[in-house]
Structures are given as C-alpha cells and as structure tokens.
Amino acid sequence: MSTDDAAEIRVGTAGWSVPKAHAAAFPDEGSHLSRYGAVFNAVEINSSFYRPHRRATYERWAATVGDHFRFAVKVPRAITHDARLEGCDALVGAFLEETAGLGARRGPLLVQLPPSLPFRPGMADRFLADLAGRADAPIVCEPRHRSWFDDRVEALLQSLRIARVAADPPPVPGADAPGGWPGLVYLRLHGSPRIYYSAYDEAFLGRVSESLLARRAEGATAWCILDNTAAFAATADALSVRAMVSARRSGDR
C-alpha cells in the first residue's frame, strides 16, 4: 500500500510479532515493531488491556515507526470489565495520559465490553460521552451483549462520533456489521470457525478487501485488524488483505 493509501485504509494485526514462517515479507534487521511497521500501516495494542504502560513506552513505540503509522489501543479491562464503566474517571485519565505518548500516531481507542454487560441508560451513555469529550482520538466500541444492538444505541453512538466494531465471528446477531458513527469502520477478525486460531480463506478475505474499499469510497477511514494470532494466522491473513486492497486499487486506475 502506498503512503496515500495508508491514510485511508489501515490493515494490521493484534500485536506486532513477526512469525518466522512469514519473516521473508519483512526487513531482516531491526526490532519486531520496526520490521512490522515497514510493511503494515497499523497495529492494535492489546497488552494495554491487561496492564498499564508508561507514557515513555508509548513514546518509544511511536518513535520506532514512520509518520504514516497508527496504533489502535485497547482500553484497560480495569475500566471495561472490572469497574464495568462506573467510577473509573481516574483510570480513564491515566490511560489517556499514558497513550498520549503516541502523539499523532495514536489511532482509535478500542472499548471492548464483556458479553455480560448490557446497555444501561444513564451509565453506559454517560461513560461514552465522558470518554468522547476527554479523548483526543477516535473511539470504537465492541459491545458483545445483544442490548447494544438497537436503534437507540445506534443513535447514541452516531451522536458521539463513536464507531461500533464489526466482529467475526459475531457474538450476537448483527455484530458482524459496522455500526455507530460511519466516519470510521473497524473490522476485528478473530478467526473462524476456531476463534483466535483459524485462518480465513481467500474468498472471505477478498470480501473483506472489497468492503474496506467500498467504505473508503463512502468517505470512511477503514481499519481491518486480524486477531487470529494464536497460531500465527493473523500475519498471513493481513498480508493477503493488504495485497488484495492494493491489487484492486491498481485495477481501478
């Protein structure tokens, strides 16, 4: 993908490992992140979900990649799963201050919610409005309880300019389609039929690349993150999507 494409369609994996089986696609020298960033234009940081990182760590990561690169960052589970979005102002503030170390390379903040967390008016909407007001970054939400998939929540997300993840496999009906604010589309592909392990076939990845191009043509920034990392399928799948997007764009010129 060219630098111009990088600003429009972003393809990467959850984490920046470079598996030995796919090492030939990356530069031989440098850190894993610098080698990864020479090929892909985006990554999703999942380690932030489990533990905080110092601002200096985010600054070092940002300095390792080019200006074209963006980091999506997963919001800590201490906020989404432990506090369940309540009474976590200090935690949110600390997370935003730490990730500000990414500077202009900070991409979407990913709010992944536990399957057991329903949409609760007066709580969920207050949290999202507060986060949207405090964050100098796009926000994308991955709810996994069916109560989040109705017109009321859709209108709320659109009003706050928060995108809803399109997830595969979908945890509930409708979760495989993008929702919320249409200016950002964020696909999280976890692997199917065996979640986190299974690779996707060429036909599925072809449909993904076509969807990214279609959404971009509508004016959205389109992200695709492969999260089927347990058996290293994510890297090969992300390389395929990247190549398919480039080939389709070249064919349109």
Side-chain angles (χ1 to χ4, degrees):
M1 247 179 267
S2 71
T3 302
D4 289 341
D5 293 341
E8 304 169 350
I9 295 177
R10 299 193 175 276
V11 179
T13 62
W16 52 75
S17 64
V18 178
K20 289 183 179 180
H22 308 295
F26 299 86
D28 293 333
E29 297 182 353
S31 67
H32 277 266
L33 177 55
S34 66
R35 294 168 65 205
Y36 174 98
V39 174
F40 292 118
N41 61 10
V43 74
E44 184 181 277
I45 300 174
N46 281 171
S47 56
S48 55
F49 180 71
Y50 300 100
R51 63 186 184 279
H53 299 301
R54 295 182 301 120
R55 180 177 178 130
T57 299
Y58 285 108
E59 291 172 346
R60 175 165 48 84
W61 288 341
T64 304
V65 297
D67 292 343
H68 70 288
F69 194 90
R70 296 292 180 271
F71 296 84
V73 194
K74 197 170 182 181
V75 171
R77 66 172 297 141
I79 294 170
T80 56
H81 289 55
D82 299 339
R84 297 171 73 84
L85 310 184
E86 293 190 280
C88 49
D89 287 357
L91 291 171
V92 169
F95 173 71
L96 293 177
E97 195 281 329
E98 292 158 3
T99 60
L102 293 171
R105 295 175 181 82
R106 182 169 64 176
L109 306 179
L110 171 64
V111 183
Q112 186 192 56
L113 301 176
S116 61
L117 185 64
F119 180 82
R120 291 168 52 195
M123 182 271 289
D125 47 354
R126 183 169 58 247
F127 171 84
L128 292 174
D130 177 69
L131 180 61
R134 297 169 68 180
D136 184 21
I139 300 168
V140 61
C141 185
E142 186 178 15
R144 291 181 287 173
H145 188 281
R146 66 177 59 248
S147 62
W148 286 77
F149 296 84
D150 66 15
D151 293 342
R152 170 188 55 175
V153 180
E154 179 73 4
L156 171 69
L157 294 176
Q158 290 188 14
S159 71
L160 295 174
R161 295 172 66 89
I162 295 175
R164 192 187 72 231
V165 163
D168 184 81
V172 297
D176 54 349
W181 181 53
L184 172 63
V185 172
Y186 199 101
L187 311 183
R188 293 193 86 220
L189 309 181
H190 301 292
S192 182
R194 188 182 182 195
I195 192 169
Y196 304 127
Y197 284 85
S198 295
Y200 289 101
D201 62 31
E202 184 176 356
F204 180 89
L205 297 178
R207 292 192 295 273
V208 167
S209 66
E210 290 170 357
S211 175
L212 294 171
L213 288 164
R215 293 290 182 163
R216 178 55 203 161
E218 295 169 357
T221 297
W223 279 64
C224 177
I225 293 295
L226 279 299
D227 189 33
N228 49 340
T229 56
F232 306 112
T235 303
D237 286 351
L239 287 168
S240 293
V241 172
R242 177 182 177 276
M244 289 176 179
V245 168
S246 292
R248 283 167 168 77
R249 297 191 98 155
S250 296
D252 290 340
R253 290 170 183 160

